[in-house]
Amino acid sequence: MAQSDTVDRILDAAEELFADRGFSETSLRMITSKARVNLAAVNYHFGSKNALIHAVFGRFLTPFSATLESAFDDLEASCEGTPPTLNQTLWALTESAVRMPQRNERGISIFMRLLGLAYTQSQGHLRKFLEQEYSEPFGRFMRLLKGATPQLSAVDRYWRIQFMLGATAFTMSSSDALQDILRNKLGVETTVQEIAARLVPFLAAGMQAQDAVLIPPTDTNVPVA
Amino acid sequence: MAQSDTVDRILDAAEELFADRGFSETSLRMITSKARVNLAAVNYHFGSKNALIHAVFGRFLTPFSATLESAFDDLEASCEGTPPTLNQTLWALTESAVRMPQRNERGISIFMRLLGLAYTQSQGHLRKFLEQEYSEPFGRFMRLLKGATPQLSAVDRYWRIQFMLGATAFTMSSSDALQDILRNKLGVETTVQEIAARLVPFLAAGMQAQDAVLIPPTDTNVPVA
DNA sequence: GTCTGTTTGAAACATACGTTTGACGCACAT
DNA sequence: ATGTGCGTCAAACGTATGTTTCAAACAGAC
């Protein structure tokens, strides 16, 4: 055949190992031996380890950003002028992620982990690369958030978006470990879809919390409902 | 003198480098050359790189957990039987963190970053070590959270605690970068204390969000106030 | 001063890494 | 049949890592 499946075998193995161990803690030799290909194949097909990492993201993120764009299109079309709500925007994002065709049942979980790692490892180089490479859907999501939270000042909105991002990236990046703990402690099985279903209301409520009073402790719970 | 300051110089350098670059991306040679001590000093004083990492955490976490314990003591004493509220508990934690004597103005930010890394790097080995080593204040905080959110199921509470942890660790760990962006974009200056003041209401609101409906999108914002 | 235990110093150790090399096999066009 | 290009392979390259070694410097006790 003109093109063997070596490339895909490498991508599959790399994706899984990166998610389990992080990028710099995963060597090319681990990847090639898991994929049962020759060590030199990575540099032959991808050029370098860094290019491999980018390729792993590209394989998922390029079709995902297309899916996301059309989900945003549908959402805005169905709203006819009025800006989509916060809940709708967040759900459009998570639905798009969950609906992506998966290579296996761990697919989503693996990829969320990779995104989380991209935000915390290698001094954020990967984060900058991804935000640049996919600035279109990224910027659009930010604009939707702005439209959905007109009551927030720009500064408040900025920080709260970081809080959301943090909760998401962190949770997803360690979702395997967290699921293990939950299984051992409470005997509960969890899917990534369920985590997302718990995360979205948390984020939406935090995003719409009453403005921060810059004076510390009160002696009653903040009324929420 | 009986004991030189070599140990502290190593700890200072390691702390900063670990926070900037992660654990496995920081070599002993970087640490010793930044600390201007001999390479062998690390293995002589600490035994191994892993033991150094543990020592870095210990230097901050041991006094901090003492401060935290007494803050919790005060809080529970002032409540006389009735369980402290969520807001009070969260504030007791952040106050304790902010009030810690700092080696420099980046102190808090550096340490938050390290905690965040501990949860995401090295397959969670560090996380397990820390939760074991400081199970006392850790478990107590968890119990306080439980008392402050009796309406939540154990599973819901578990995940929301992870969300809080993620938002906090992520934000604090990249607070330097985030503050820079905000300064350049909106011309606003921010302190760690102000970030905390914005974070706590976000977390409290998310923690007390109405139970997750496991069915996706609605067409109205979730009512919050 | 001399001895003793502790801390530093420069150098080497063994190992692992990402990358490169050059020979080899194989399909396919000529 | 023959040559050409692509993919694979074992082996090596140079570099960087964590750790160890052993001699020298230093302190304080006698």
Side-chain angles (χ1 to χ4, degrees):
Chain A
M1 62 191 71
Q3 154 104 344
S4 85
D5 57 347
T6 302
V7 167
D8 285 306
R9 300 243 300 283
I10 293 175
L11 286 173
D12 288 339
E15 186 176 275
E16 203 157 340
L17 285 170
F18 285 153
D20 282 347
R21 319 174 33 89
F23 301 107
S24 60
E25 293 88 347
T26 301
S27 70
L28 292 185
R29 284 168 176 83
M30 293 178 199
I31 295 171
T32 54
S33 81
K34 181 183 176 90
R36 287 182 301 129
V37 302
N38 187 271
L39 169 61
V42 169
N43 285 281
Y44 176 78
H45 287 288
F46 299 95
S48 71
K49 183 182 180 179
N50 254 315
L52 206 214
I53 297 175
H54 290 176
V56 167
F57 278 96
R59 186 170 64 150
F60 181 93
L61 237 37
T62 299
F64 170 67
S65 75
T67 302
L68 188 60
E69 291 275 12
S70 79
F72 284 160
D73 286 343
D74 293 350
L75 181 58
E76 286 187 316
S78 78
C79 289
E80 295 172 5
T82 74
T85 67
L86 179 57
N87 252 332
Q88 288 173 324
T89 304
L90 294 180
W91 272 114
L93 182 71
T94 59
E95 286 275 282
S96 300
V98 167
R99 292 260 168 85
M100 283 292 291
Q102 300 302 322
R103 258 171 300 283
N104 60 59
E105 75 285 348
R106 285 187 63 207
I108 271 285
S109 158
I110 285 182
F111 206 78
M112 289 294 184
R113 175 105 225 272
L114 290 182
L115 280 184
L117 291 179
Y119 266 76
T120 56
Q121 293 209 337
S122 50
Q123 300 143 280
H125 288 159
L126 253 176
R127 196 200 79 238
K128 284 164 198 150
F129 167 78
L130 293 178
E131 286 182 359
Q132 187 170 343
E133 197 79 350
Y134 300 94
S135 61
E136 202 173 299
F138 190 82
R140 192 169 175 190
F141 178 64
M142 290 301 169
R143 279 192 301 278
L144 285 170
L145 282 183
K146 182 170 181 179
T149 57
Q151 78 279 10
L152 292 181
S153 72
V155 178
D156 270 333
R157 188 184 303 112
Y158 173 82
W159 282 112
R160 293 187 180 186
I161 288 175
Q162 303 304 328
F163 301 157
M164 289 206 301
L165 235 149
T168 307
F170 178 91
T171 304
M172 293 309 180
S173 80
S174 40
S175 64
D176 284 355
L178 299 178
Q179 285 173 271
D180 281 349
I181 296 172
L182 200 53
R183 173 167 33 243
N184 294 336
K185 221 193 263 182
L186 301 175
V188 180
E189 293 290 336
T190 324
T191 67
V192 175
Q193 283 83 347
E194 287 170 27
I195 302 178
R198 294 181 193 282
L199 182 52
V200 168
F202 179 95
L203 299 180
M207 201 70 188
Q208 298 175 109
Q210 55 191 224
D211 261 3
V213 190
L214 293 181
I215 303 300
T218 70
D219 42 3
T220 66
N221 274 340
V222 349
V224 160
Chain B
M1 60 192 71
Q3 154 105 339
S4 85
D5 57 347
T6 302
V7 167
D8 285 305
R9 299 242 299 284
I10 292 175
L11 286 172
D12 288 339
E15 184 176 278
E16 203 157 340
L17 284 169
F18 285 152
D20 282 347
R21 320 175 31 91
F23 301 109
S24 60
E25 294 88 347
T26 301
S27 71
L28 291 184
R29 285 167 176 83
M30 292 179 199
I31 295 171
T32 54
S33 80
K34 180 183 176 89
R36 286 182 301 128
V37 302
N38 188 270
L39 169 62
V42 169
N43 284 283
Y44 175 78
H45 286 287
F46 297 94
S48 71
K49 184 182 179 181
N50 256 316
L52 206 214
I53 297 176
H54 290 175
V56 166
F57 279 94
R59 184 170 65 150
F60 181 93
L61 237 37
T62 298
F64 171 67
S65 75
T67 302
L68 190 58
E69 290 274 12
S70 79
F72 285 159
D73 286 342
D74 293 350
L75 180 57
E76 287 187 315
S78 78
C79 287
E80 294 173 9
T82 73
T85 66
L86 179 57
N87 251 333
Q88 288 173 323
T89 304
L90 293 180
W91 273 114
L93 182 70
T94 59
E95 288 274 282
S96 298
V98 167
R99 292 258 168 84
M100 283 291 292
Q102 301 301 324
R103 259 173 297 286
N104 60 59
E105 76 285 346
R106 284 188 64 206
I108 272 286
S109 154
I110 283 182
F111 208 78
M112 289 290 183
R113 176 105 226 271
L114 289 181
L115 279 184
L117 290 180
Y119 265 76
T120 57
Q121 292 209 338
S122 48
Q123 301 142 277
H125 289 159
L126 253 176
R127 194 200 80 238
K128 284 163 198 151
F129 167 78
L130 292 178
E131 287 181 359
Q132 186 169 343
E133 196 80 354
Y134 299 95
S135 59
E136 203 172 299
F138 191 81
R140 190 168 176 191
F141 178 63
M142 291 300 169
R143 279 192 302 277
L144 285 171
L145 283 183
K146 183 172 181 179
T149 57
Q151 78 280 10
L152 291 181
S153 72
V155 178
D156 269 334
R157 188 183 303 112
Y158 173 83
W159 282 111
R160 292 186 181 187
I161 288 174
Q162 303 305 327
F163 302 156
M164 290 204 302
L165 235 151
T168 306
F170 177 91
T171 305
M172 293 306 184
S173 75
S174 41
S175 64
D176 286 354
L178 298 178
Q179 285 172 273
D180 282 349
I181 296 173
L182 200 55
R183 176 168 31 244
N184 293 337
K185 220 195 261 183
L186 302 174
V188 180
E189 294 289 337
T190 324
T191 67
V192 175
Q193 283 79 352
E194 286 170 28
I195 302 177
R198 294 183 193 279
L199 182 52
V200 169
F202 178 95
L203 299 180
M207 201 70 188
Q208 297 177 108
Q210 53 191 226
D211 261 4
V213 189
L214 293 183
I215 303 299
T218 72
D219 42 6
T220 65
N221 274 340
V222 351
V224 160

